[in-house]
């Protein structure tokens, strides 16, 4: 179990958040509901979706590396 207050917990949370928002961008109902705002607090979801879609290769490699770290090293 990872702790949210540790660095690896924050990295896992950030990667999962970016991946989830990028998935939401592909679903039409969720895109219109959750990703319609580009500013403010709700804009964080939009910005994470943009990061996930534009840097999909880097995010995927980071997820694989973090999974290996959490499963085997930690």
């Amino acid at each position: 179990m990872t702790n949210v207050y540790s660095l690896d917990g924050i990295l896992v949370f950030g990667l999962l958040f970016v991946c989830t928002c990028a998935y939401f961008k592909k679903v039409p109902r969720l895109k219109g509901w959750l990703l319609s705002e580009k500013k403010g607090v709700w804009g964080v979801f939009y910005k994470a979706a943009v990061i996930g879609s534009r840097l999909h290769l880097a995010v995927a490699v980071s997820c694989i590396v973090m999974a290996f770290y959490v499963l085997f090293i930690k």
Side-chain angles (χ1 to χ4, degrees):
M1 187 65 108
T2 59
N3 188 2
V4 169
Y5 299 112
S6 64
L7 179 62
D8 55 346
I10 292 171
L11 290 175
V12 168
F13 175 77
L15 284 171
L16 289 175
F17 184 72
V18 167
C19 291
T20 303
C21 289
Y23 174 74
F24 285 166
K25 192 172 183 180
K26 301 292 181 187
V27 179
R29 280 192 184 187
L30 293 174
K31 182 180 181 182
W33 177 68
L34 191 62
L35 302 174
S36 61
E37 294 291 325
K38 293 185 169 96
K39 292 183 180 178
V41 176
W42 291 103
V44 174
F45 293 105
Y46 173 78
K47 291 173 185 175
V50 169
I51 290 170
S53 62
R54 290 186 183 172
L55 298 175
H56 61 277
L57 185 62
V59 171
V61 169
S62 299
C63 286
I64 291 169
V65 169
M66 186 56 73
F68 179 79
Y69 171 75
V70 169
L71 289 174
F72 297 114
I73 297 175
K74 189 173 180 186

